[in-house]
Amino acid sequence: MERESWRASSPGVDRDAPELVGESPAWTAVVQALPGIAASELPVLVVGETGTGKELVARALHALSPRRRRSFVAHNCGATPDTLIESELFGHARGAFTGAVADRAGLFESAEGGTLFLDEIGDASALLQMKLLRVLQEGEARRVGDTRVRRVDVRVLSATHRALEEGLGSSAFRADLYYRLNAVRLRLPPLRERGRDVLLLARRFLADAAARLGHGPPNLGEALADRLMRYPWPGNVRELQNGCAFAVLVAGARDRVEERHWPEPAAAAVAAAAAGLHAETRALEQRRLRETLERTRGNKSLAARALGLSRQGLHKKLRRYGLSEAEAATLPLDAPVEAP
């Protein structure tokens, strides 16, 4: 019987830990290292190509750690503009700036007693790197606009697909921050190094996709299985998952998945990259809209000007993200803006 989960075979693994499917030597080495790393409380830098499962491993480390009953907070380091970094990391006090109508906890405070996962740390700006280094060195933080200093009790996990050490000499990444984050380095193997894990994962993803339609797990055709084993998987596990979803949900595979159901590799890779970029762009745009409306206290003329949009263009974007009614319910239309 194929082992579907490392949960069933790894001693000391908590039942709440997320599943990490695979039994190849490369993946087993990662799995066997997790309990010891999780118990150490040291900062961990998870490195690996895009799509190898870095956040899933970070969640497993949290679930296996003494902090499992507290929050796991994830943050994409490339998604925060410098103007919002301090508020995002440390929170702000009411009245700290225009639009700060209530106290707000930052990432470190939200993860208190738990784990803060800094995804794509290699994309962090110089300012974000400086702010992170300071809180990690001093073990304390202060909300923007507040005088009270709070002690920080957070375990920091970070991840990157970049070779951070190559940027240390050119100052692309701070060496002092790198050594703070890199107490334990955990490399995730790309899917092309994991042998028959490709088929284990494919069967799992096909079963998950079929379950969404109320069907049982389909069989994997031999010709397709051979093709999957020979493919280099530039998009790694994420690309495989997308292909399985396409075969069942789009191509209509039911009892058996054959080559004719599988998307063209280039099309699948492009679609996956475009979908990920589109989702990130939408999330960032929606957040910018909210933040700008807060700062202008709902004054849409000023918000449009700050965003470089016409008033009509702003209204279109608000409708697109379903913000028109929500914002209007809490923010007065064209209310006067108080001086900071």
Side-chain angles (χ1 to χ4, degrees), residues 2-10 13 17-23 27 31 200 204:
E2 289 180 339
R3 187 175 69 217
E4 293 186 334
S5 162
W6 63 280
R7 241 190 239 174
S9 58
S10 298
V13 173
E19 289 184 329
L20 296 170
V21 177
E23 55 185 20
W27 192 246
V31 168
L200 290 176
R204 171 59 63 84

Side-chain angles (χ1 to χ4, degrees), residues 225-240:
D226 181 64
R227 173 180 169 181
L228 299 184
M229 286 294 295
R230 289 184 285 106
Y231 183 62
W233 298 110
N236 291 292
V237 178
R238 188 175 300 134
E239 183 182 0
L240 175 61

Side-chain angles (χ1 to χ4, degrees), residues 111-314:
E112 178 66 19
T115 301
L116 176 59
F117 174 56
L118 300 172
D119 197 11
E120 297 302 345
I121 188 66
D123 294 337
S125 68
L127 180 61
L128 177 54
Q129 292 180 42
M130 181 184 70
K131 297 296 181 181
L132 284 172
L133 178 63
R134 182 173 180 181
V135 69
L136 293 176
Q137 284 179 332
E138 299 179 0
E140 58 186 29
R142 180 173 58 85
R143 288 181 177 182
V144 177
D146 198 357
T147 58
R148 183 159 64 97
V149 174
R150 292 174 167 82
R151 294 296 301 171
V152 171
D153 176 23
V154 172
R155 185 186 192 180
V156 175
L157 310 178
S158 51
T160 183
H161 68 280
R162 302 182 186 278
L164 297 184
E165 58 277 5
E166 295 179 2
L168 300 184
S170 63
S171 300
F173 198 87
R174 295 184 64 115
D176 41 10
L177 178 60
Y178 173 77
Y179 293 117
R180 285 270 176 183
L181 298 174
N182 194 32
V184 179
R185 185 184 185 89
L186 185 61
R187 176 188 176 272
L188 303 190
L191 188 54
R192 61 184 174 274
E193 295 179 5
R194 294 178 56 182
R196 295 187 69 83
D197 283 356
V198 171
L199 302 185
L200 290 176
L201 288 162
R203 292 187 178 102
R204 171 59 63 84
F205 294 146
L206 290 171
D208 290 346
R212 291 165 60 182
L213 299 177
H215 300 303
N219 293 318
L220 186 61
E222 291 183 8
L224 178 57
D226 181 64
R227 173 180 169 181
L228 299 184
M229 286 294 295
R230 289 184 285 106
Y231 183 62
W233 298 110
N236 291 292
V237 178
R238 188 175 300 134
E239 183 182 0
L240 175 61
Q241 186 174 21
N242 288 339
C244 291
F246 179 93
V248 174
L249 302 177
V250 179
R254 292 297 178 260
D255 296 331
R256 189 176 181 85
V257 182
E258 304 286 2
E259 283 192 282
R260 69 177 183 274
H261 298 121
W262 200 258
E264 288 299 319
V270 171
L277 179 60
H278 182 62
E280 289 184 16
T281 301
R282 283 178 61 89
L284 180 59
E285 190 172 59
Q286 186 172 353
R287 180 172 178 171
R288 286 285 305 277
L289 288 168
R290 289 184 184 277
E291 295 283 351
T292 305
L293 282 169
E294 286 182 9
R295 286 199 300 270
T296 60
R297 296 179 61 84
N299 188 309
K300 293 179 181 176
S301 296
L302 288 179
R305 193 178 310 148
L307 292 167
L309 299 171
S310 67
R311 187 179 173 88
Q312 183 180 10
L314 176 62

Side-chain angles (χ1 to χ4, degrees), residues 6-157:
W6 63 280
R7 241 190 239 174
S9 58
S10 298
V13 173
D14 189 88
R15 287 182 298 173
D16 293 333
E19 289 184 329
L20 296 170
V21 177
E23 55 185 20
S24 64
W27 192 246
T28 299
V30 171
V31 168
Q32 291 178 343
L34 294 182
I37 295 174
S40 73
E41 290 286 286
L42 293 171
V44 180
L45 179 62
V46 185
V47 297
E49 296 177 9
T50 298
T52 50
K54 295 186 287 294
E55 182 169 349
L56 186 62
V57 166
R59 289 184 180 276
L61 287 170
H62 174 73
L64 290 165
S65 77
R67 298 175 179 267
R68 66 174 68 91
R69 304 304 173 198
R70 304 302 292 270
S71 296
F72 176 93
V73 178
H75 177 67
N76 187 319
C77 293
T80 305
D82 281 356
T83 53
L84 300 176
I85 280 176
E86 282 196 282
S87 177
E88 187 72 19
L89 290 179
F90 312 127
H92 60 251
R94 178 181 178 182
F97 50 81
T98 300
V101 296
D103 290 347
R104 178 181 178 276
L107 294 170
F108 277 92
E109 197 172 339
S110 298
E112 178 66 19
T115 301
L116 176 59
F117 174 56
L118 300 172
D119 197 11
E120 297 302 345
I121 188 66
D123 294 337
S125 68
L127 180 61
L128 177 54
Q129 292 180 42
M130 181 184 70
K131 297 296 181 181
L132 284 172
L133 178 63
R134 182 173 180 181
V135 69
L136 293 176
Q137 284 179 332
E138 299 179 0
E140 58 186 29
R142 180 173 58 85
R143 288 181 177 182
V144 177
D146 198 357
T147 58
R148 183 159 64 97
V149 174
R150 292 174 167 82
R151 294 296 301 171
V152 171
D153 176 23
V154 172
R155 185 186 192 180
V156 175
L157 310 178

